[in-house]
Amino acid sequence: MSHNSFGHLFRITTWGESHGPAIGCVIDGCPPRIPLSEAEIQVHMDRRRPGQSRYTTQRRETDQVRILSGVFAPDEGEQLLTTGTPISLLIENVDARSKDYSEISQAYRPGHADFTYQAKYGIRDWRGSGRASARETASRVAAGAIARKVVPGLIVRGALVQVGPYPIDRTRWDWNEVDQNPFFCPDPEMARQWADYLDNVRKQGSSVGAVIEVIAYNVPPGLGAPVYGKLDQDIAGAMMSINAVKGVEIGAGFGAASLTGEENADEIRIGPEGVPEFQTNNAGGILGGISTGQPLIARFAVKPTSSILTPRRSINQAGEEIDVSTKGRHDPCVGIRAVPVGEAMMALVVADHHLRHRAQIGG
């Protein structure tokens, strides 16, 4: 199976399946002499880790990451530094329960990739969806932790801004609240409402979708390239590569269609230090595919988790019409754990474009 790599100069290749012995990734192109420790990566792994609340799958994975290569301490006891060689990361699977899926080994679950994988390869790993599982995204989060260290001053933050039909009130946005509730929600009042809503969804064995917003701060102007190397093009592709994502927008996004030219144009003035300052950011920090120096803003929509208890009509590999209900451990809203994944993909894109810009233009 090809296409398991992402990026150009900062390039990652992920490997492993949901119910295999381990998953992981190889990062190629990371610059040398960057301080790096497993603990720094683990901080981000813990934010994505399953089983932390009743609103996510109860699969109990520790998601402990090990660095197998690409770092070295010049002197004993000193900080590990990247060496410029491939960095290999390992994450063991410790709580896979393949028997949960044995009943559907021959069935095509509606909304899943069962049929398409079988149609393409003639074989599929039905244990937790194998390579198609969101378990693969743990490797991306680990790689994204390293990508954040490549761009000086880069800060990437994400938040859940809508669950089902309930969006947050943006006048109550508080970044400090994001890590204070199980939803990565910046609106404390809406977080309480989501809790009640998702309790009912979970008890019914159903699921709902969500919208995630990711913002990258301290991105220098000039990243990206016209036509086929646009920064927003790569951000959109990165977000669309995440499991269950069905839509992406940059800046004002689809809302720009309802604005006038006067409303949409981000006016520019000279700031107190003689630096150009944009008055608004409908462009999401990108014009002509190139960063403006403003925060990069992307949102993506995640569909409801396809694994639900309610029987849905489908077929099996023998071509027989059947009803399928999926048992096992699943997220009532997979969008919750997609927040750190979206952050990781944003960091990977920015790091790659930072190195591409430096290679073409200079330091």
Side-chain angles (χ1 to χ4, degrees):
M1 185 162 117
S2 58
H3 307 295
N4 293 287
S5 299
F6 179 83
H8 294 268
L9 296 190
F10 190 92
R11 188 172 181 84
I12 73 165
T13 300
T14 69
W15 55 266
E17 294 80 34
S18 176
H19 286 214
I23 58 174
C25 67
V26 176
I27 301 162
D28 201 5
C30 182
R33 301 186 302 279
I34 295 177
L36 180 65
S37 68
E38 291 177 350
E40 290 175 292
I41 302 173
Q42 196 63 47
V43 169
H44 299 283
M45 300 298 294
D46 289 344
R47 295 177 69 236
R48 182 213 159 273
R49 182 167 49 84
Q52 298 190 70
S53 77
R54 64 181 183 272
Y55 308 107
T56 62
T57 173
Q58 293 307 294
R59 180 170 173 172
R60 300 291 179 176
E61 294 288 352
T62 58
D63 278 357
Q64 290 293 316
V65 65
R66 292 174 54 199
I67 302 175
L68 303 183
S69 67
V71 294
F72 178 69
D75 294 305
E76 187 175 351
E78 287 195 356
Q79 167 75 60
L80 289 170
L81 304 176
T82 59
T83 61
T85 59
I87 300 171
S88 183
L89 304 177
L90 176 74
I91 306 158
E92 293 184 355
N93 292 329
V94 300
D95 190 28
R97 299 180 188 174
S98 301
K99 67 178 186 302
D100 289 346
Y101 298 88
S102 58
E103 293 182 9
I104 57 170
S105 62
Q106 302 298 309
Y108 298 137
R109 295 167 296 172
H112 277 280
D114 298 340
F115 171 76
T116 52
Y117 266 58
Q118 188 72 35
K120 182 174 181 66
Y121 300 107
I123 185 174
R124 66 182 175 92
D125 185 346
W126 46 262
R127 305 166 304 165
S129 297
R131 187 76 175 138
S133 170
R135 179 79 185 129
E136 181 269 345
T137 62
S139 300
R140 306 184 191 206
V141 172
I146 299 175
R148 295 170 192 252
K149 299 173 71 68
V150 171
V151 185
L154 177 66
I155 298 173
V156 181
R157 303 200 69 177
L160 204 62
V161 297
Q162 182 173 333
V163 170
Y166 301 108
I168 65 167
D169 181 342
R170 289 181 173 269
T171 65
R172 296 195 294 257
W173 188 296
D174 182 356
W175 277 120
N176 292 326
E177 287 292 331
V178 168
D179 293 324
Q180 303 303 314
N181 61 73
F183 308 113
F184 301 104
C185 179
D187 176 355
E189 186 173 320
M190 186 52 66
R192 289 188 286 272
Q193 185 173 336
W194 287 349
D196 294 336
Y197 173 60
L198 285 176
D199 274 337
N200 290 328
V201 170
R202 180 175 56 85
K203 290 173 183 176
Q204 294 168 9
S206 188
S207 63
V208 294
V211 177
I212 293 92
E213 184 165 319
V214 181
I215 305 177
Y217 298 96
N218 302 328
V219 177
L223 303 192
V227 190
Y228 298 122
K230 289 182 169 69
L231 182 59
D232 42 356
Q233 164 195 333
D234 286 350
I235 290 172
M239 300 308 174
M240 282 299 300
S241 76
I242 300 171
N243 309 61
V245 172
K246 303 303 288 186
V248 179
E249 60 180 13
I250 308 293
F254 284 96
S258 63
L259 300 177
T260 65
E262 292 82 1
E263 292 168 328
N264 184 67
D266 296 318
E267 295 183 307
I268 313 173
R269 309 304 291 169
I270 295 296
E273 298 181 3
V275 178
E277 286 188 354
F278 290 83
Q279 306 302 292
T280 54
N281 193 11
N282 290 312
I286 304 169
L287 291 170
I290 300 171
S291 61
T292 65
Q294 294 176 280
L296 305 183
I297 302 174
R299 282 175 296 279
F300 59 94
V302 176
K303 70 177 183 179
T305 315
S306 297
S307 297
I308 56 177
L309 293 179
T310 306
R312 300 282 86 188
R313 293 179 296 174
S314 187
I315 61 173
N316 59 24
Q317 288 183 210
E320 300 166 329
E321 294 184 346
I322 58 173
D323 288 340
V324 177
S325 65
T326 308
K327 301 179 178 63
R329 303 162 296 174
H330 306 286
D331 298 78
C333 178
V334 74
I336 297 172
R337 292 194 299 128
V339 173
V341 182
E343 291 178 355
M345 296 311 295
M346 176 71 86
L348 290 168
V349 172
V350 175
D352 188 41
H353 273 273
H354 170 73
L355 296 179
R356 287 155 66 176
H357 177 76
R358 194 169 71 177
Q360 182 181 20
I361 308 300

